[in-house]
Amino acid sequence: MQTKFSRTQKFFMMNPFIQFVRFIILSIKILIIVAGGHGGTRRV
Amino acid sequence: MSKVVVLGAGISGHVAASHLRRKLGKNHEVLVVSPNSNYQWVPSNIWVGIGRMKSSSVLFPLKPLYQRKNIGYLQSKVIQFHPEGDLEINKPFVLVESVEESSKGKLEKITYDYLINATGPKLNFEATEGLYPGKNKTFSVCTYNHADHAWENLLKLIGEMKNGKNVSILIGTGHSKATCQGAAFEYILNVEQELRRHKVRDKATITWISNENELGDFGMDGMLLSYGGKQIRSSEMVEMVFSERSIKWIVGAGVYKIEDGVAYYENLAGEYKTEFFDFAMLIPSFSGHGFKAYNKLNIEITEQLFNGFMLVDADYTSKPYEQWKVTDWPETYQNPNFSNIFAPGIAFAPPHSISKPRISPNGREIFPTPPRTGMPSGISAKLVADNIIDLINDPKTTLKHKGSLGNMGAACIASAGYGLMEGSGISITTFPIVPDFEKYPTTHGRSIKKTFGEIGLAGHWLKLALHHAFLYKAKMRPFWWLIPE
Ligand SMILES: Cc1cc2nc3c(=O)[nH]c(=O)nc-3n(C[C@H](O)[C@H](O)[C@H](O)COP(=O)(O)OP(=O)(O)OC[C@H]3O[C@@H](n4cnc5c(N)ncnc54)[C@H](O)[C@@H]3O)c2cc1C
C-alpha cells in the first residue's frame, strides 16, 4: 500500500488552476448525489 | 388551524420550521422552542477552534428572524412530554422551562397538534470521568463557546512552543462509544496546519485517539471509495493523510478517565494504557437528554417515546451484526405510539450502530455509535415537515415522504486546513449512508460510483462555499429554499 502522496499527487492537490476545475466537477458530482434523491427501503 | 411545535433550532429543527412556515398557510401556527437564542452553523466551529473564524461568523440570533418570518419562538427548554394531555388540558402538550433572562425558570405547558423533536444530542461529558471542556487540559469544539475556549488555550500553547516548549496534542474521541469522528478528524488536521503556519510544528507530537477499529471507519463501518481512478479503503486514505502530516494514531481505544493531562483508555486487546497531553480535544459521548413522558393520568410512559433518544419507525429488535439490514432504519421518523410526534436529525434513536460492534476481553464496548451529519439531519427534517403538511391537509393520508439512511447519500467535506491558497479539504461522498450489502454485495454495501474521495484545495473552497450557502439558507434570504439540504 502507498503510504504517502507522490509529488505529482501533491502538485495536483494544491495547483489552484487544476483545483478550480476539480471544484466545479466536485460541486456537480455532489449535487447529483443530493438531487439523486432519497426514499424508503421497505416494500409496502 | 393547526399548531406545529418544533423543539430545537439546530440544523434539523430550523430546517423543519422554515419549510413549514414557507409551505403552510398563515392560519397555521409554527412555534420553535429552543434554549439557545442563536442559530449556529456547527460544521464551521472547527475553524473557530483554530482562530481562523470568529464565533460571530458562525451564528446569528433567531428571534429577529423568526419575528420577521412569522415563526413563533420561545427561548425555553423542553423537560416533559405529555402526548395525551393531562387531567387539566385535554390536548397533547410539552412542559417547557424558560431560560430567557426575564422569565428564567418559568414553567409553561405548550399544546400542539404536531410535535417535532429536533433536540439533537446531549453532549454527555459526564460519561467520561474528568472530561469537561476547560478541565484537565481537555477542550471541545462541539459548540461555538467551546471552540472559542479551545482556541484561546491552543493559542497560549503556541506561545509556549514559540518559547521552546515541546508539547503533546491529543485529538479524537473521549468515550468508548463516542461518534462524530469526522469533526475530530477535521480538527486534528486543522490544528496540524496551524502549527505549521505558526512555525512550531516541530515542537508538537500530534496523536489521534479513536474508538474506531481502524482509521477511516468514521462510525460508518469504513468505506470502499473510488479515489484517483482506483478503489481504496477509507482506512488507507486516512493513513496516507496522517503519515503525510506525521500524525500518530491509536485506534480501538475506549477512553474512560481523564486526569490533568492524562487520558486513560482500554484498547480492544483489553490492555489498559495512558496517553499524556498538554492540550486535548476529545469528542464526548452523545446521549439522549433524559426526557420523561407521562400519560393523561400522569403515569410515566417514557418507554413509549424514548430509549434514550426518541423512538421512531425503526426496527429495534436486537440482532447480530450479520443480520442487520437497511430496512432496520427509519423512513419517516414518526413515533410508533403517537403518530403526531416526529424526531428528525440526531434526536431519533437509531436501531443499532453502523460500525461493527466490538467488545474488549474485559467487556467494554469499543466502537463508534452512528453519526448523523448535517445533510441527513436536514433531509429528514424536511421530509418530516412535508409529511406534517400532508397530514394537516388530509389527516387520513399515509406518509408519502420517506428518507432512510439506507437509501440516502451524504457528502462530507472535511476541512484539512484553512486558507484560500494553502487550505485543503477531504471530500467524501457515500451512497447509501448505511451500507446495503444486498444491493451492493461486492463494494462494502455502497455504490462505488457514488462513493468517492478527493483531497485538495478544492475541498477547502467547497467547505467555505457551503458555510456561506448554508448560513444564507438558514437566514431565509431570498430563494433560500432553492439550496438543497
Ligand atoms: C464540531 C462539529 C463539526 C461538524 N461538522 C460537520 C460537517 O462538516 N458536516 C456535517 O454534515 N455535519 C457536521 N457535524 C454534524 C452536524 O453538526 C449535526 O449533524 C447536526 O448539527 C445535527 O443537527 P440536529 O438539529 O439534529 O442537532 P443539533 O444541531 O445539536 O441541534 C439541537 C437543537 O436542540 C436544542 N435543544 C437542546 N436541548 C433542548 C431542549 N431540552 N429543549 C429544546 N431544545 C433543545 C439545541 O439548543 C439545538 O438548537 C459536525 C458536528 C460537530 C459537533
Side-chain angles (χ1 to χ4, degrees):
Chain A
M1 192 194 82
Q2 179 190 349
T3 53
K4 284 206 174 178
F5 296 106
S6 65
R7 275 175 143 230
T8 329
Q9 279 174 315
K10 280 190 205 164
F11 172 77
F12 188 85
M13 282 174 197
M14 296 315 286
N15 180 294
F17 298 103
I18 298 173
Q19 286 299 308
F20 183 71
V21 178
R22 295 309 303 168
F23 174 74
I24 308 281
I25 296 172
L26 204 53
S27 308
I28 295 169
K29 275 169 93 174
I30 289 172
L31 253 182
I32 290 171
I33 292 185
V34 180
H38 49 266
T41 53
R42 301 170 195 153
R43 283 202 196 105
V44 269
Chain B
M1 184 202 116
S2 291
K3 179 174 175 183
V4 188
V5 172
V6 182
L7 305 172
I11 294 183
S12 50
H14 187 64
V15 161
S18 46
H19 280 289
L20 282 164
R21 188 64 288 164
R22 188 174 86 84
K23 293 177 181 170
L24 274 179
K26 286 212 167 63
N27 51 329
H28 301 291
E29 188 183 346
V30 180
L31 173 70
V32 175
V33 177
S34 191
N36 189 339
S37 59
N38 293 317
Y39 176 85
Q40 60 172 320
W41 179 242
V42 181
S44 298
N45 285 342
I46 297 299
W47 292 332
V48 176
I50 52 153
R52 299 301 293 266
M53 215 174 238
K54 293 252 173 295
S55 49
S56 55
S57 314
V58 307
L59 62 86
F60 64 85
L62 285 165
K63 205 170 181 176
L65 174 73
Y66 284 166
Q67 246 163 14
R68 263 200 330 274
K69 297 289 176 184
N70 192 26
I71 297 172
Y73 173 61
L74 274 183
Q75 195 187 343
S76 300
K77 58 180 186 190
V78 65
I79 48 178
Q80 281 177 13
F81 289 67
H82 293 259
E84 299 172 352
D86 62 9
L87 293 173
E88 247 173 53
I89 299 180
N90 195 21
K91 242 194 139 188
F93 69 85
V94 281
L95 184 69
V96 307
E97 183 185 329
S98 174
V99 296
E100 205 176 333
E101 256 336 293
S102 58
S103 54
K104 212 171 196 152
K106 191 180 143 211
L107 297 177
E108 203 178 338
K109 292 176 178 178
I110 306 291
T111 59
Y112 60 83
D113 296 296
Y114 295 94
L115 182 71
I116 300 178
N117 172 19
T119 49
K122 175 184 169 199
L123 301 175
N124 194 9
F125 290 101
E126 305 95 84
T128 307
E129 191 186 331
L131 180 69
Y132 196 77
K135 220 177 127 185
N136 293 329
K137 303 195 181 91
T138 63
F139 300 89
S140 149
V141 289
C142 290
T143 69
Y144 54 85
N145 292 327
H146 290 172
D148 267 335
H149 194 209
W151 170 236
E152 242 173 66
N153 284 274
L154 186 60
L155 186 62
K156 244 188 248 160
L157 197 67
I158 290 174
E160 291 173 25
M161 290 156 84
K162 284 184 176 162
N163 288 332
K165 184 176 175 184
N166 289 312
V167 307
S168 297
I169 293 176
L170 185 67
I171 293 173
T173 52
H175 187 268
S176 63
K177 289 185 78 181
T179 179
C180 218
Q181 285 73 15
F185 177 64
E186 288 187 276
Y187 194 58
I188 199 168
L189 296 177
N190 274 272
V191 166
E192 195 276 334
Q193 169 149 327
E194 284 312 296
L195 297 191
R196 272 190 281 136
R197 199 168 71 88
H198 286 273
K199 304 201 170 32
V200 290
R201 178 63 184 91
D202 57 324
K203 297 278 169 214
T205 305
I206 304 181
T207 308
W208 170 254
I209 188 164
S210 169
N211 55 4
E212 301 157 291
N213 171 53
E214 59 177 13
L215 290 177
D217 179 283
F218 292 128
M220 296 179 58
D221 217 16
M223 284 151 266
L224 188 68
L225 303 159
S226 47
Y227 171 69
K230 285 188 283 187
Q231 285 186 13
I232 67 166
R233 284 148 36 109
S234 48
S235 55
E236 297 174 70
M237 190 179 191
V238 174
E239 194 171 329
M240 275 206 285
V241 174
F242 279 0
S243 303
E244 190 66 43
R245 305 270 195 110
S246 301
I247 294 173
K248 301 203 283 183
W249 61 88
I250 302 166
V251 287
V255 173
Y256 61 89
K257 188 165 90 171
I258 303 287
E259 282 175 359
D260 191 26
V262 195
Y264 293 82
Y265 68 95
E266 182 189 348
N267 65 18
L268 277 166
E271 298 162 325
Y272 289 92
K273 298 196 161 192
T274 48
E275 191 65 26
F276 295 88
F277 58 84
D278 298 280
F279 175 96
M281 197 298 288
L282 299 171
I283 302 275
S285 140
F286 286 5
S287 72
H289 293 273
F291 298 130
K292 296 241 182 280
Y294 298 89
N295 72 5
K296 202 164 178 54
L297 301 172
N298 231 12
I299 295 167
E300 194 181 331
I301 51 160
T302 304
E303 76 292 344
Q304 291 187 29
L305 270 103
F306 301 100
N307 71 358
F309 290 104
M310 184 167 254
L311 297 169
V312 292
D313 60 319
D315 180 353
Y316 294 107
T317 325
S318 161
K319 47 190 152 188
Y321 173 78
E322 291 69 29
Q323 287 171 28
W324 291 354
K325 288 202 161 68
V326 276
T327 47
D328 300 342
W329 287 80
E331 299 181 333
T332 61
Y333 307 89
Q334 185 182 40
N335 178 261
N337 300 309
F338 297 95
S339 60
N340 58 347
I341 301 182
F342 297 80
I346 298 186
F348 82 83
H352 42 67
S353 64
I354 302 173
S355 299
K356 187 172 182 170
R358 290 183 167 83
I359 302 182
S360 79
N362 306 313
R364 189 186 304 275
E365 293 186 306
I366 306 176
F367 60 92
T369 42
R372 271 136 318 146
T373 56
M375 198 166 137
S377 296
I379 291 175
S380 56
K382 182 166 183 250
L383 72 89
V384 162
D386 285 334
N387 279 329
I388 290 178
I389 292 165
D390 288 354
L391 285 167
I392 288 173
N393 293 331
D394 174 12
K396 290 205 181 72
T397 195
T398 50
L399 305 185
K400 288 179 210 68
H401 303 274
K402 293 181 179 176
S404 161
L405 266 57
N407 188 3
M408 185 192 294
C412 301
I413 319 297
S415 170
Y418 194 92
L420 212 56
M421 284 301 156
E422 68 282 4
S424 177
I426 301 176
S427 316
I428 295 178
T429 66
T430 58
F431 187 93
I433 298 168
V434 172
D436 186 340
F437 292 103
E438 279 174 17
K439 218 167 173 180
Y440 309 104
T442 56
T443 47
H444 199 61
R446 299 200 174 90
S447 157
I448 198 74
K449 271 198 206 141
K450 294 184 185 169
T451 304
F452 59 85
E454 178 145 343
I455 307 175
L457 185 55
H460 173 69
W461 292 340
L462 202 57
K463 175 115 184 162
L464 204 57
L466 292 179
H467 163 92
H468 292 293
F470 283 121
L471 276 167
Y472 182 94
K473 181 181 168 78
K475 287 178 181 167
M476 299 174 79
R477 295 260 163 86
F479 303 107
W480 61 267
W481 65 89
L482 293 176
I483 300 172
E485 318 321 312

